[in-house]
């Protein structure tokens, strides 16, 4: 969902807010506004009439310090869109407005097509429709919209057929990655910290392990990654406790206890000491919370990746 800042900006341009985005004509150009964790995004659905226009636009962009002047963290251009990401910090809405004041005349100067031109075929639109493709709104001819929809569906089907991955090998790879992350979690926890960045590390390593093990790129991937992250947090917490017991054994505080007895010692303390049990459960729950904060965006992106490109008729 977009926040109040982008909603206000959309209202100023007479854009429509629906489905978690704002779309419509922005200064005569088809545009989409959206946001996520740490960023706000502006996408123009446009095309340049000739390569020289595109080159001129990019020269103008490269001639500015986009990050310093407008807080732009990234700008990409392809055959049908210009994608602009902004760092989402206090004051970013002011920078977005300043960017629009600068970029809209630049687009006109170099011949970028406006909202009245179909980005698919490049011809004027008498009666068209708004469609969202991959989270970006486009103003198409009806026939072009149907053609794009068919191409999206065929592309998704082809990717599904070509995906020869396996959920079981993906699970093994994800667990292997989460074990590496659990080691980092145990180290951080043993020195008295719980950090969402380590939760993100567990998720990153779990996904990397899943992909390296050729896991199937289907909807089950997200469930496996969630399981692997939970496993990593549990293992990391238990690893930190095991390290504490190990240190006590090495210092002579637990005479008669061998390193091999650590799992049994932890089990006995957990089952017989209510105070320790509450402490450990609290640590695990806090760890899961921090991990969730760290990996939310990663899991969300993974979900988008495996669901394929989405086509939605807006109006």
């Amino acid at each position: 969902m977009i926040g109040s800042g982008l909603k206000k900006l959309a209202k100023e341009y007479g854009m429509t807010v629906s489905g978690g985005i704002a779309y419509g004509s922005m200064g005569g150009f088809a545009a989409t506004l959206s946001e996520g964790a740490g960023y706000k995004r502006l996408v123009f659905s446009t095309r340049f009439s000739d390569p020289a226009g595109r080159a001129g636009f990019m020269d103008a962009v490269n001639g500015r310090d986009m990050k310093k002047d407008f807080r732009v963290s990234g700008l990409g251009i392809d055959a049908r869109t210009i994608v602009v990401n902004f760092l989402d910090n206090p004051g970013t809405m002011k920078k977005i407005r300043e960017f629009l004041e600068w970029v809209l005349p630049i687009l006109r100067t170099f011949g970028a097509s406006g909202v009245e031109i179909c980005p698919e075929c490049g011809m004027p639109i008498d009666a068209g429709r708004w469609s969202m493709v991959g989270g970006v709104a486009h103003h198409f001819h009806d026939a072009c919209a149907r053609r794009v929809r068919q191409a999206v569906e065929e592309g998704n089907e082809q990717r599904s057929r070509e995906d020869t991955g396996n959920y079981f090998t993906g699970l093994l790879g994800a667990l292997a990655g989460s074990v590496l992350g659990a080691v980092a979690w145990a180290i951080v926890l043993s020195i008295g910290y719980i950090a969402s960045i380590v939760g993100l590390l567990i998720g990153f390593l779990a996904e990397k392990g899943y992909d390296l093990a050729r896991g199937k790129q289907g909807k089950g991937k997200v469930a496996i990654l969630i399981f692997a992250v939970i496993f990593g947090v549990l293992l990391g917490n238990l690893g930190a406790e095991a390290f504490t017991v190990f240190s006590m054994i090495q210092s002579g505080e637990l005479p008669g206890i061998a390193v091999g007895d650590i799992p049994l010692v932890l089990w006995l303390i957990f089952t017989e000491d209510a105070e320790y049990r509450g402490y450990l459960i609290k640590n695990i729950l806090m760890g899961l919370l921090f991990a969730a904060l760290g990996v939310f965006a990663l899991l969300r992106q993974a979900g988008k990746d495996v669901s394929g490109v989405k086509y939605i008729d807006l109006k």
Side-chain angles (χ1 to χ4, degrees):
M1 300 296 290
I2 62 172
S4 59
L6 288 184
K7 286 181 180 178
K8 182 178 180 181
L9 179 64
K11 185 177 180 180
E12 292 171 9
Y13 281 93
M15 301 170 73
T16 300
V17 177
S18 177
I21 65 169
Y23 67 93
S25 176
M26 177 172 275
F29 296 94
T32 307
L33 296 171
S34 61
E35 63 185 287
Y39 72 89
K40 294 185 187 297
R41 179 172 294 158
L42 164 64
V43 184
F44 290 109
S45 171
T46 187
R47 53 191 293 168
F48 289 92
S49 56
D50 60 72
R54 174 176 171 145
F57 173 76
M58 290 308 300
D59 286 343
V61 168
N62 293 330
R64 295 292 298 261
D65 187 335
M66 302 298 284
K67 185 174 183 179
K68 179 181 178 181
D69 294 347
F70 306 117
R71 291 191 189 172
V72 170
S73 59
L75 187 151
I77 182 171
D78 61 24
R80 206 161 61 192
T81 60
I82 298 173
V83 182
V84 189
N85 289 325
F86 299 87
L87 293 172
D88 193 4
N89 295 317
T92 292
M93 288 307 305
K94 178 182 178 182
K95 291 296 183 180
I96 292 176
R97 284 184 167 84
E98 291 175 358
F99 175 78
L100 288 170
E101 290 176 3
W102 174 78
V103 78
L104 291 175
I106 297 294
L107 288 172
R108 296 188 194 97
T109 297
F110 292 105
S113 60
V115 68
E116 76 286 353
I117 301 296
C118 177
E120 176 67 11
C121 68
M123 300 300 292
I125 300 173
D126 293 324
R129 71 170 69 172
W130 286 93
S131 303
M132 185 163 65
V133 184
V136 178
H138 303 273
H139 192 212
F140 293 123
H141 291 110
D142 285 346
C144 289
R146 289 192 294 270
R147 185 162 60 248
V148 170
R149 181 170 194 160
Q150 181 178 358
V152 167
E153 292 173 350
E154 290 176 353
N156 287 339
E157 290 175 2
Q158 182 175 353
R159 280 190 292 272
S160 180
R161 288 193 301 268
E162 293 175 351
D163 182 8
T164 59
N166 183 282
Y167 281 132
F168 179 70
T169 59
L171 172 62
L172 295 180
L175 291 177
S178 70
V179 168
L180 294 176
V183 173
W185 186 276
I187 293 173
V188 171
L189 190 60
S190 66
I191 59 178
Y193 293 97
I194 299 178
S196 59
I197 188 66
V198 187
L200 176 60
L201 177 64
I202 293 177
F204 171 79
L205 292 174
E207 182 176 30
K208 184 64 67 174
Y210 185 95
D211 292 339
L212 289 175
R214 297 184 60 80
K216 184 176 180 62
Q217 300 300 314
K219 294 182 179 179
K221 176 181 179 179
V222 177
I224 288 174
L225 292 180
I226 291 174
F227 174 77
V229 169
I230 294 174
F231 175 78
V233 171
L234 292 174
L235 187 62
N237 275 272
L238 294 176
E241 296 302 309
F243 179 77
T244 299
V245 175
F246 174 78
S247 299
M248 294 174 70
I249 292 173
Q250 294 298 104
S251 66
E253 297 178 61
L254 296 175
I257 303 297
V259 173
D261 297 326
I262 290 178
L264 179 59
V265 170
L266 289 176
W267 174 250
L268 289 175
I269 298 175
F270 180 81
T271 55
E272 297 178 5
D273 189 330
E275 183 178 351
Y276 174 79
R277 185 164 57 250
Y279 155 81
L280 183 58
I281 291 174
K282 178 183 177 181
N283 266 6
I284 289 174
L285 292 176
M286 287 184 63
L288 291 173
L289 173 62
F290 274 76
L293 294 173
V295 303
F296 175 77
L298 184 149
L299 292 175
R300 184 179 182 183
Q301 185 59 49
K304 289 181 179 180
D305 292 342
V306 300
S307 63
V309 179
K310 289 186 177 180
Y311 176 100
I312 301 172
D313 285 318
L314 296 172
K315 68 174 184 178

